[in-house]
Amino acid sequence: MDKKIILSGIKPTGIPTLGNYIGALRNWRLMQQDDKYCYYMVADLHALTVRNDPDELRQQTRSMAALLIACGIDPERSPLFIQSHVPAHAELAWILNCFTYMGELQRMTQFKDKAAKHADNINAGLFTYPSLMAADILLYQPHYVPVGEDQKQHVELARNIAIRFNNAFGETFVVPEPIMPKFGARIMGLQDPEHKMSKTDTNPNGYISLLDEPAVIMKKFKKAVTDCEPVIAYAEGRYGCNNLLTVYCACTGKTMEEAVKDFEGAGYGKLKTAVAEAVIAEIEPVQQEYKRILADVTYLDSVLKNGAEKAGETAQKTLDLAFARVGLR
């Protein structure tokens, strides 16, 4: 295949936020171009590192798949699949575990963060999940992996493992490059604009869920933190104002200069209302399409079955090669 291959995945834990949409999911849609071939995955195996309700996990997994399609992923050109439906992920993860050093895993930021949050459940999966993530990536021989700044470390580890394996057994894996969107990649919290918007925020007014009703979105933006400066501008240290302007630009397509000019002489009330309206206009069609897809059980089942079959063909070829390289087949 001459096309550049891209692999992206998301855990089915909670509903994605506006930050997830602008920073990742919307860009996944835009990556579906003639010179690229994309694989999109709902990473349900990664959700097992914390305690979960089985029925809830199943529902959230299907919900996430429906939401990805609603965000613009075209299953006809880009396989969309559930991670656990392709057994090669778990199989390659064990091989890669044997080429991952303890020190590398101990340095992973997310392990430290999650261990602190779930001190009563610091399990082996929580420690070794970067090896599974490396398997997720390397199975599809991707050239690029779209990530946010907080995930770049995982792609770097996957690169290190791929290089280590290739040096030991010959060319087996493509060494992928992380790519990060230049604008709108980091949407901050509405109540704490110095930190990234997160669905785990204990304050529900701090984030916009992709499934929030328009009235809820408007209410949350009207409560958004700004600053004491009377003039609306994008400037260093003005975290709240900068964040609102960034969201406005991301949802309207305007440049920062155009956005600032739109609110020349205006107060924060006008800015907050305009940002909320822009967000509603952007995600309301996504919400409607999501509801339609989720209700069409036959269609969603078909998409996931076909996606797993297409992904499985590629994954199995890579797995067979890796097994042969290490002497298992």
Side-chain angles (χ1 to χ4, degrees):
M1 183 182 294
D2 294 330
K3 296 183 179 182
K4 294 297 183 182
I5 299 173
I6 293 175
L7 182 282
S8 296
I10 186 171
K11 287 194 299 183
T13 50
I15 300 165
T17 67
L18 176 66
N20 299 135
Y21 174 74
I22 292 174
L25 303 184
R26 188 171 64 171
N27 293 308
W28 291 8
R29 178 189 73 212
L30 300 175
M31 287 175 185
Q32 299 176 119
Q33 301 170 9
D34 291 340
D35 63 338
K36 298 180 178 65
Y37 191 81
C38 304
Y39 292 92
Y40 293 119
M41 173 185 72
V42 180
D44 55 342
L45 292 177
H46 285 287
L48 299 180
T49 59
V50 297
R51 294 288 179 261
N52 64 84
D53 177 86
D55 291 333
E56 187 174 297
L57 177 59
R58 293 187 192 96
Q59 186 276 326
Q60 288 179 334
T61 299
R62 291 180 62 82
S63 176
M64 184 64 75
L67 194 51
L68 292 180
I69 301 171
C71 286
I73 288 177
D74 180 1
E76 292 298 319
R77 64 187 302 177
S78 305
L80 171 64
F81 63 99
I82 307 301
Q83 181 189 26
S84 65
H85 294 183
V86 182
H89 287 260
E91 294 182 75
L92 184 61
W94 172 248
I95 300 295
L96 299 188
N97 264 332
C98 300
F99 291 86
T100 308
Y101 299 136
M102 296 282 287
E104 291 175 316
L105 297 176
Q106 289 170 336
R107 289 192 293 271
M108 301 304 285
T109 303
Q110 289 204 8
F111 168 70
K112 296 175 183 177
D113 292 345
K114 289 188 177 182
K117 291 179 181 178
H118 304 281
D120 60 335
N121 183 30
I122 305 177
N123 55 74
L126 189 63
F127 186 64
T128 62
Y129 81 93
S131 296
L132 174 58
M133 190 174 293
D136 299 334
I137 295 169
L138 299 181
L139 273 172
Y140 300 95
Q141 308 287 16
H143 301 92
Y144 303 113
V145 181
V147 290
E149 188 63 39
D150 57 341
Q151 289 288 342
K152 188 177 179 182
Q153 189 182 31
H154 291 97
V155 181
E156 292 297 338
L157 178 61
R159 286 172 52 83
N160 291 341
I161 294 171
I163 292 170
R164 189 174 300 144
F165 192 100
N166 289 349
N167 287 341
F169 298 105
E171 291 300 312
T172 305
F173 301 115
V174 170
V175 180
E177 294 284 346
I179 54 173
M180 289 175 284
K182 294 180 180 179
F183 188 80
R186 195 169 177 82
I187 302 301
M188 314 307 279
L190 299 184
Q191 293 300 308
D192 183 6
E194 292 189 53
H195 293 89
K196 186 178 176 181
M197 183 178 286
S198 172
K199 57 191 173 188
T200 61
D201 193 331
T202 55
N203 185 348
N205 290 317
Y207 62 92
I208 300 296
S209 163
L210 268 190
L211 299 182
D212 276 345
E213 294 290 333
V216 173
I217 294 172
M218 182 65 72
K219 185 177 181 180
K220 287 184 178 181
F221 271 110
K222 286 187 174 181
K223 292 182 178 180
V225 170
T226 51
D227 54 53
C228 298
E229 295 290 334
V231 178
I232 293 174
Y234 191 92
E236 184 176 354
R238 299 191 62 183
Y239 303 106
C241 186
N242 291 351
N243 190 44
L244 291 176
L245 288 169
T246 298
V247 173
Y248 182 75
C249 290
C251 291
T252 61
K254 294 188 177 184
T255 65
M256 188 58 69
E257 291 75 16
E258 291 171 335
V260 171
K261 190 173 182 179
D262 282 350
F263 301 104
E264 189 174 351
Y268 287 116
K270 181 179 178 180
L271 172 63
K272 292 179 178 181
T273 299
V275 175
E277 289 173 347
V279 169
I280 292 167
E282 175 76 18
I283 69 174
E284 200 167 22
V286 173
Q287 294 175 344
Q288 293 171 358
E289 183 68 357
Y290 161 77
K291 292 175 183 177
R292 184 191 70 78
I293 293 167
L294 193 62
D296 192 341
V297 176
T298 301
Y299 168 72
L300 187 55
D301 284 346
S302 175
V303 165
L304 297 177
K305 181 176 182 292
N306 292 336
E309 289 175 353
K310 290 178 182 177
E313 289 178 8
T314 300
Q316 192 61 48
K317 290 178 183 177
T318 302
L319 182 67
D320 288 344
L321 179 58
F323 270 41
R325 289 282 198 260
V326 299
L328 295 182
R329 292 179 183 168

